[in-house]
Amino acid sequence: MEELEWDDSIRALCESKAEEFRLIGYEHVSADEIWECVSANYAKSGMPALHRIVNDILSLKATQFMNYLTLSALRRTRF
């Protein structure tokens, strides 16, 4: 899979997950925020295989996402 195809596929999955969250009431979720949340787990270990990334996006729970946003906001205000 070429990098452009890979990016498009991941972007589509993030859009899908953002839409899912909007349907359950989280109105201001974007695909970029979903990707930031999921990819934060890869900062230390590097990018995993595509199947793991897909699984991480599709299995992301709203509570995990909201915890990530809360911690990110706290980190920005502390420094």
Side-chain angles (χ1 to χ4, degrees):
M1 197 175 219
E2 291 184 29
E3 187 173 339
L4 184 58
E5 292 174 320
W6 191 84
D7 290 344
D8 289 342
S9 299
I10 297 301
R11 179 96 178 139
L13 286 171
C14 290
E15 287 286 350
S16 174
K17 184 54 81 167
E19 179 64 26
E20 176 185 326
F21 285 174
R22 286 191 289 270
L23 287 172
I24 61 172
Y26 297 97
E27 298 175 9
H28 302 287
V29 177
S30 71
D32 292 333
E33 290 173 323
I34 297 291
W35 176 244
E36 289 171 16
C37 176
V38 171
S39 65
N41 298 326
Y42 313 142
K44 292 181 182 177
S45 61
M47 280 297 180
L50 180 60
H51 69 276
R52 171 143 181 240
I53 295 170
V54 169
N55 182 61
D56 291 347
I57 293 169
L58 293 178
S59 65
L60 181 65
K61 305 284 188 249
T63 53
Q64 291 172 297
F65 179 69
M66 296 312 289
N67 286 341
Y68 168 79
L69 289 180
T70 302
L71 290 173
S72 295
L74 289 172
R75 286 185 188 119
R76 283 192 301 268
T77 60
R78 292 179 76 197
F79 299 107

